[in-house]
Amino acid sequence: MSERHIHMAGHVTERHITRAGQGGDRDVFEYALLRVVPRVERGECVNAGVVVYCRARGYLGARTHLDEARLLALDPAADVAGVRAALAAIERTCAGGEQAGQAAGDDAGRRYRWLVAPRSAIVQPGPVHTGLTADPAAETERLLDLLVR
């Protein structure tokens, strides 16, 4: 289904609307950016990763990329090793299994909700967003490239 819109300048655009059950081979997914906030009182942050959850496909994944130069520009005394360890722990929690530690027995949805819960720490999740995807793993990489790198 699509709608046609005519803008003031006379341009015609088409917007495709997907209703429940009409997504084709695409499924709903949720994602949140992982932000590093080295000095919480200042509120400055660096995007350092993304967590993606697709319930329909049983997918939970995280990809991280820390730009040390940006982080150190915000706080020259930032604990880079600690931040890297926190980001790696998030990736392990998403992967599940023994490497997820105490979360190993939780299902993907429960682990995702725990990871995106608001917290006041150096590594924080941003707001949750949604979309449609046919390949959640590829979507994770796409979002990392688009929003973090």
Side-chain angles (χ1 to χ4, degrees):
M1 171 187 248
S2 66
E3 289 182 0
R4 293 175 72 93
H5 295 277
I6 301 175
H7 295 280
M8 293 295 288
H11 300 287
V12 176
T13 61
E14 218 168 283
R15 183 178 77 186
H16 296 279
I17 301 170
T18 303
R19 304 222 188 279
Q22 296 178 338
D25 62 342
R26 298 183 305 164
D27 293 302
V28 173
F29 74 96
E30 301 174 54
Y31 74 94
L33 281 172
L34 298 172
R35 303 185 284 201
V36 178
V37 185
R39 294 176 61 188
V40 177
E41 71 278 6
R42 291 180 59 166
E44 300 167 328
C45 65
V46 174
N47 291 344
V50 63
V51 178
V52 174
Y53 173 58
C54 181
R55 179 178 174 201
R57 305 223 178 184
Y59 176 84
L60 175 60
R63 293 282 288 123
T64 62
H65 172 81
L66 181 61
D67 185 332
E68 286 185 31
R70 282 185 180 177
L71 175 59
L72 293 172
L74 294 180
D75 183 2
D79 179 4
V80 175
V83 169
R84 285 197 183 283
L87 293 170
I90 291 170
E91 288 192 57
R92 287 192 308 273
T93 300
C94 287
E98 267 184 44
Q99 61 186 351
Q102 291 180 335
D106 293 338
D107 64 33
R110 186 174 173 108
R111 291 192 321 269
Y112 175 72
R113 296 286 170 237
W114 179 77
L115 288 169
V116 299
R119 58 184 49 106
S120 180
I122 291 176
V123 176
Q124 302 177 3
V128 173
H129 304 280
T130 61
L132 293 172
T133 186
D135 185 349
E139 195 66 40
T140 305
E141 287 295 326
R142 185 186 77 79
L143 290 169
L144 183 74
D145 288 339
L146 179 69
L147 302 172
V148 177
R149 288 190 179 142

